[in-house]
Amino acid sequence: MARKNAFYAQSGGVTAVINASAAGVIEAARDSKVIGKVYAGRNGIIGALTEDLIDTSKESKTAIAALKHTPGGAFGSCRYKLKSLESNRREYERLIDVFRAHDIGYFFYNGGGDSADTCLKVSQLAETLGYPIQAIHVPKTVDNDLPITDCSPGFGSVAKYTAVSIREAALDVVSMCATSTKVFVMEVMGRHAGWIAAAAGLAQEQEGDAPHIIVFPEIAFDPAKFLKKVQQAVKKYGYCVIAVSEGARYKDGTFLADAGSTDAFGHKQLGGVAPVLAQLVKNELGHKYHWAVPDYLQRSGRHLASATDLEQAYAVGRAAVSFAEQGKNAVMPAIVRGQGKKYSWSIGEAPLANVANVEKKMPRNFISKDGFGITDEARAYLLPLIQGEAEMPFKNGMPVHARLKLAPVAKKLKGKFVL
């Protein structure tokens, strides 16, 4: 049987280990007896639509291996969601034209819930438009909100970064709280799910440790209860450290920091909840404050990545190729947590129909009764995911990252496709 080429692309916000998944896909495909070349889409699915492909076969083994310790999206990512076939048939016909022109029979899409939806739609091309394509979703998201999989590759590293950062910041605050800052607010990512905010709770080892308050999207924000909790911490410990999810919202569903616009996926743009909370504390309690928004730092901090997360990210990339070799379509490799006290995991399989556009939020039993902390059950779930320090080579005091050729594939179609 003649080998078919593969298309690989990255989508949505990147992570510290998404390129490890890319390495897993590319290395496994190079060993495959059924897959030819792997073409990466420059800037995600947009690369397929515009026939802007990258020939990964031009990259050395060393360069591909270096992806495992390189953050960001090595081939470029995007926020672009395919509409339904009924409303935008031209995009699907364009994909078929590009796939056919470059003899592509495998589609690997590395992303979160919206990307799973795109992958599912592409998997249906054979049935709807008569083009044979196997579409496998490679899971990734710092939000940890993909269903079925025990955790989402990318989350373990941002969780580690968050817990370490808030502990170190707390040590700074407590050393000056007698005469200076008494309240510190750190805003973390998480639009609808508070997994990253929950990870901040791992910094606590004993009574009084920061963070003293965690604000989750899953718990309606009550200003009065929040301020009472802040004042109690300041009175008891001399200071108060707060971790807040960007998606914190009031009882009516309004975000505390709604910027009034939406992104390419139709999600509300959030304008910064940390300064909102800090100003509330200042106005109502009068305490001096500082706030911080790690923003891209939390998802690109490869120097502080979790070894467990790195291993899982690489494993789902290789598993995606294995699924394709087995003739599977419209599926996603999923992390399956083993039984027993000692943490273990394996790779399972999840149908995309059950993954696309489904968000996994924090279970209520993972959040303390007062709504401002995590429980022992949450800690037991989270701790294994941040274990181990992923190897990171340095040179002249700086981390070493992959530098790819990103060799373009010659275009075969005439005309320019307008998005």
Side-chain angles (χ1 to χ4, degrees):
M1 185 177 74
R3 296 189 181 196
K4 288 283 188 178
N5 297 321
F7 175 82
Y8 166 82
Q10 300 171 324
S11 176
V14 296
T15 79
V17 297
I18 186 174
N19 290 327
S21 292
V25 169
I26 295 169
E27 290 180 351
R30 287 182 175 184
D31 295 335
S32 175
K33 294 181 179 180
V34 301
I35 297 176
K37 292 184 176 182
V38 175
Y39 295 140
R42 197 183 301 272
N43 300 324
I45 192 69
I46 291 176
L49 292 170
T50 59
E51 200 187 359
D52 193 354
L53 309 178
I54 296 166
D55 188 351
T56 68
S57 70
K58 302 296 184 182
E59 308 293 348
S60 67
K61 288 184 178 181
T62 300
I64 296 302
L67 289 175
K68 298 174 189 175
H69 51 78
T70 302
F75 304 105
S77 186
C78 70
R79 293 193 185 280
Y80 191 87
K81 188 172 182 178
L82 289 177
K83 297 177 182 178
S84 67
L85 176 63
E86 293 73 24
S87 62
N88 201 351
R89 188 182 184 90
R90 64 184 285 270
E91 286 189 341
Y92 293 90
E93 292 177 340
R94 173 63 175 185
L95 286 177
I96 290 176
D97 289 342
V98 173
F99 291 166
R100 181 177 286 116
H102 295 277
D103 199 23
I104 292 170
Y106 306 97
F107 180 89
F108 300 108
Y109 209 29
N110 202 173
D114 289 306
S115 307
D117 176 72
T118 295
C119 197
L120 177 61
K121 289 171 179 173
V122 171
S123 74
Q124 297 164 345
L125 287 180
E127 181 180 345
T128 56
L129 295 176
Y131 183 81
I133 186 81
Q134 288 174 237
I136 313 294
H137 184 241
V138 185
K140 168 248 45 159
T141 174
V142 295
D143 294 319
N144 198 42
D145 58 358
L146 285 172
I148 303 179
T149 184
D150 177 71
C151 61
S152 302
F155 169 68
S157 293
V158 77
K160 190 181 187 80
Y161 183 98
T162 298
V164 170
S165 295
I166 205 159
R167 173 178 285 185
E168 292 181 339
L171 291 173
D172 184 303
V173 176
V174 71
S175 66
M176 295 288 290
C177 67
T179 57
S180 187
T181 300
K182 289 195 177 341
V183 176
F184 175 70
V185 184
M186 187 170 89
E187 175 182 330
V188 299
M189 293 177 172
R191 184 181 307 276
H192 300 125
W195 295 102
I196 302 177
L202 296 178
Q204 300 168 330
E205 286 189 337
Q206 59 186 33
E207 167 66 25
D209 284 351
H212 306 103
I213 298 173
I214 302 175
V215 181
F216 302 95
E218 291 88 349
I219 302 296
F221 181 73
D222 184 320
K225 290 182 178 179
F226 168 76
L227 290 168
K228 181 179 180 180
K229 191 80 173 177
V230 171
Q231 191 70 339
Q232 288 174 340
V234 171
K235 183 177 180 180
K236 189 172 184 179
Y237 310 118
Y239 73 114
C240 179
V241 170
I242 302 158
V244 56
S245 174
E246 63 180 347
R249 66 192 69 201
Y250 296 105
K251 188 176 182 179
D252 66 0
T254 304
F255 289 110
L256 272 65
D258 188 341
S261 58
T262 58
D263 64 17
F265 286 147
H267 303 312
K268 283 278 190 179
Q269 289 280 65
L270 304 181
V273 69
V276 171
L277 288 188
Q279 194 60 51
L280 176 64
V281 168
K282 177 66 176 177
N283 293 344
E284 299 298 324
L285 302 178
H287 296 311
K288 182 177 179 181
Y289 65 81
H290 271 272
W291 57 266
V293 183
D295 198 47
Y296 285 5
L297 300 179
Q298 66 198 287
R299 74 184 195 197
S300 61
R302 177 57 183 80
H303 62 289
L304 198 54
S306 153
T308 297
D309 191 31
L310 176 65
E311 292 168 8
Q312 292 178 341
Y314 181 72
V316 295
R318 292 197 68 96
V321 173
S322 177
F323 284 0
E325 290 175 322
Q326 296 171 46
K328 295 180 180 181
N329 191 22
V331 295
M332 179 189 82
I335 306 298
V336 179
R337 185 174 295 225
Q339 301 296 318
K341 293 183 178 180
K342 185 177 180 181
Y343 178 70
S344 63
W345 59 275
S346 59
I347 299 292
E349 179 183 324
L352 283 186
N354 296 340
V355 175
N357 301 311
V358 178
E359 290 181 309
K360 177 179 69 179
K361 298 182 179 181
M362 286 273 293
R364 186 59 183 87
N365 70 320
F366 277 20
I367 302 173
S368 60
K369 288 184 179 180
D370 67 1
F372 290 121
I374 62 172
T375 62
D376 289 341
E377 289 88 347
R379 187 176 296 273
Y381 167 79
L382 293 166
L383 267 177
L385 307 182
I386 70 167
Q387 296 306 303
E389 287 62 60
E391 184 179 352
M392 182 79 231
F394 281 77
K395 181 179 180 181
N396 295 326
M398 292 295 291
V400 178
H401 300 135
R403 292 191 179 276
L404 305 181
K405 298 175 182 177
L406 301 178
V409 177
K411 294 189 177 184
K412 297 183 178 183
L413 302 177
K414 295 180 180 180
K416 183 178 181 180
F417 184 81
V418 179
L419 297 172

